[in-house]
Amino acid sequence: MKKKLLAIIVFVTIASLSVAGCTVGLPSAPAPTPTPSPTPTPSPTLPTDYSKYFSGRYESVSSIVVQPFTKASASNMRGNDVYRGVIRNASQPGSKSVTIVIELTKSKDEAKQSYDKAVAEQTSAGYVFDSAGTANFKAFEKSANVDIGEAWFGVDSAGHSFLCATENDPQVGTFGTWLFITQAGE
């Protein structure tokens, strides 16, 4: 009877181990090789240098790029990237060059604060608002499919011009970035 009981216990133990996936004393089958999961494709990284984009944008709207846009090697005092380029009007032979500085701001409010400060500085320096120049700039920028926030064009007594503006460009940044732009010319 003890032998039968021992045989039943051994049988039950082997059966329960087999059900659980274990085998005692039997050669084991090789474990299936896991199918490698596909490596996730990294999301495309946004460009960190928009120099070529800004040069191309101005070339595409009746401007000659005299000096292509370049990104400053360091951020400005607000921690923003700044681009500088020189253009002239392609539709006016002999037009003078205009230096453009574009700052990629963190928000519409930051762009507006920079704009307000620049208007105040230029007004105190003797620049007078020119509504025709402002309207021309707005028409020029609309052709580049940007959302113009503010624009102010002024001229001083020596004939120098200064423009500052804010705009949202859907091609810059994740969802479009508000830009603070200045243009200074003779």
Side-chain angles (χ1 to χ4, degrees):
M1 177 87 163
K2 285 184 182 179
K3 286 184 180 181
K4 278 186 173 182
L5 183 59
L6 184 61
I8 291 172
I9 292 173
V10 171
F11 177 77
V12 169
T13 304
I14 292 173
S16 64
L17 289 175
S18 292
V19 169
C22 300
T23 56
V24 179
L26 297 175
S28 60
T33 306
T35 306
S37 59
T39 305
T41 306
S43 59
T45 56
L46 296 172
T48 57
D49 189 337
Y50 293 98
S51 298
K52 288 182 182 178
Y53 168 72
F54 288 127
S55 292
R57 183 179 126 179
Y58 281 91
E59 283 178 339
S60 70
V61 284
S62 302
S63 295
I64 296 170
V65 176
V66 177
Q67 178 185 351
F69 281 81
T70 56
K71 180 180 178 182
S73 59
S75 300
N76 66 5
M77 63 186 171
R78 288 181 288 280
N80 297 331
D81 290 340
V82 177
Y83 295 82
R84 182 180 180 280
V86 179
I87 67 166
R88 66 182 183 82
N89 190 330
S91 63
Q92 293 179 354
S95 64
K96 297 190 182 207
S97 296
V98 176
T99 300
I100 300 175
V101 177
I102 301 173
E103 177 182 348
L104 281 59
T105 66
K106 295 174 188 72
S107 68
K108 182 177 184 177
D109 289 339
E110 183 183 40
K112 176 78 164 90
Q113 289 171 358
S114 297
Y115 167 85
D116 289 341
K117 182 179 178 188
V119 169
E121 288 172 352
Q122 297 309 312
T123 301
S124 68
Y127 282 81
V128 178
F129 177 72
D130 179 335
S131 60
T134 301
N136 286 340
F137 172 77
K138 285 182 176 182
F140 178 80
E141 291 298 287
K142 266 203 180 301
S143 66
N145 295 321
V146 296
D147 177 19
I148 300 166
E150 308 287 335
W152 185 90
F153 183 82
V155 180
D156 70 3
S157 60
H160 300 109
S161 64
F162 182 85
L163 174 122
C164 61
T166 65
E167 61 186 43
N168 182 271
D169 188 333
Q171 301 300 315
V172 178
T174 307
F175 299 106
T177 296
W178 278 92
L179 310 175
F180 169 59
I181 300 171
T182 61
Q183 293 183 12
E186 296 178 22

